[in-house]
Amino acid sequence: MKRQFLGAMAVSVMALCLSFAAEAKSTLVYCSEASPEGFSPQLYDTGTTLDVVRPVYNRLVEFKFGTTEIMPSLAESWEISDDGLTYTFHLRKDVKFHSSKAFKPTRGVTADDVVQSYDRMMNKQNPYSGVSGGAYVYFEGMGMPDTMKSVEKVDEHTEDHAEQSGSAVPG
């Protein structure tokens, strides 16, 4: 009886979310168990925030649902050097930025954007490092400042991540 009730509640909540989404058309509607702290995966690291931003932001790679198998996302392919210290990511060429009233992108995503995203978290001298307080909780909590040595552009759609020691999962 409890399972049927919970199942019915879940279906009702999903139907309600879908009806809101159908009405919104240009607005992302996401139903969650709690309110996210914000909508920037660089600044917050709770499950609620990471769940809500997942449909909005792409990562270089993703985990195949329910596994630890790594699959392509922004990076369509990658190589890892023999010593395990350098990851070379080849970016998809058809990726576009979201647009809004305040932001009208004129180009697609390139290696420069990936390098900038990492540099702002790794380099306190980056002019955008201090935006929103400059604390990159998830990046820092994963030990990335101690693991990553550099992120460099190879060409418009290729970039290298050099590790300081050991090997890390790309992403």
Side-chain angles (χ1 to χ4, degrees):
M1 185 70 162
K2 286 182 183 179
R3 282 187 185 171
Q4 289 174 332
F5 177 73
L6 290 174
M9 289 297 293
V11 169
S12 296
V13 169
M14 184 58 90
L16 182 61
C17 290
L18 291 174
S19 69
F20 286 138
E23 288 177 28
K25 294 192 184 184
S26 65
T27 303
L28 173 67
V29 176
Y30 181 85
C31 292
S32 178
E33 75 281 0
S35 294
E37 294 84 357
F39 294 95
S40 177
Q42 296 87 10
L43 302 175
Y44 305 100
D45 67 345
T46 64
T48 303
T49 295
L50 296 177
D51 285 346
V52 79
V53 299
R54 184 162 303 215
V56 179
Y57 293 93
N58 291 95
R59 294 183 275 190
L60 289 174
V61 295
E62 297 283 349
F63 287 110
K64 188 173 186 178
F65 186 75
T67 74
T68 56
E69 181 182 341
I70 297 172
M71 59 185 239
S73 184
L74 284 177
E76 62 185 359
S77 64
W78 55 91
E79 293 97 35
I80 303 172
S81 64
D82 290 338
D83 63 6
L85 297 179
T86 302
Y87 295 77
T88 302
F89 294 94
H90 303 278
L91 305 178
R92 289 186 357 230
K93 293 176 177 69
D94 60 343
V95 178
K96 305 291 184 213
F97 287 102
H98 293 283
S99 62
S100 69
K101 290 177 186 174
F103 180 66
K104 303 284 186 217
T106 58
R107 63 176 178 79
V109 175
T110 68
D112 289 320
D113 302 307
V114 176
V115 170
Q116 168 60 18
S117 293
Y118 279 98
D119 191 62
R120 91 177 238 213
M121 293 184 286
M122 294 170 60
N123 175 11
K124 298 297 181 195
Q125 305 311 313
N126 183 301
Y128 295 97
S129 179
V131 172
S132 300
Y136 302 99
V137 182
Y138 186 79
F139 184 79
E140 293 164 3
M142 293 296 290
M144 299 309 275
D146 298 325
T147 303
M148 295 181 75
K149 180 179 176 184
S150 65
V151 178
E152 300 170 8
K153 174 182 172 178
V154 174
D155 62 41
E156 282 300 301
H157 291 94
T158 310
E159 42 96 16
D160 283 334
H161 289 225
E163 306 299 321
Q164 290 183 14
S165 62
S167 60
V169 175

